[in-house]
Amino acid sequence: MPYVGPATVTSNGQTYEVQADLRVTENRRHWSGRITAATPAICQEIQQDERPHLRLPDGREDTFTFMEQTMGMVTVTIFGSGPPPSLE
């Protein structure tokens, strides 16, 4: 089951509210999706962190990496570094 809704990213000691659109892989071992920040500057700041954390409203969290680096955008594609956060 996908998760679409609010999430929090902690990056370089700062906390940012984002919108997340996340999916679990078929084997349920990994997850990926997109996060959308309020501004391109926030998105760029998040991308400067090597190990940002994504937290869902239920309290589950995981680190993630970027599938691509983007400049001047508010949405980035991410890949979870561990078991998927609770998306159901």
Side-chain angles (χ1 to χ4, degrees), residues 2-73:
Y3 173 78
V4 177
T8 303
V9 171
T10 303
S11 172
N12 294 317
Q14 300 293 316
T15 301
Y16 304 100
E17 299 301 318
V18 298
Q19 288 296 310
D21 183 352
L22 308 173
R23 305 283 187 268
V24 176
T25 59
E26 287 182 26
N27 64 11
R28 302 194 59 78
R29 300 179 100 174
H30 302 285
W31 58 275
S32 64
R34 295 177 296 162
I35 56 171
T36 303
T39 67
I42 291 172
C43 193
Q44 185 64 33
E45 183 66 30
I46 292 169
Q47 291 181 82
Q48 299 304 311
D49 192 340
E50 291 182 16
R51 294 188 50 86
H53 290 265
L54 178 74
R55 184 174 55 242
L56 300 181
D58 69 359
R60 299 276 307 235
E61 62 182 273
D62 192 15
T63 57
F64 63 90
T65 58
F66 299 95
M67 290 185 165
E68 59 190 348
Q69 294 286 324
T70 58
M71 302 294 283
M73 303 292 286

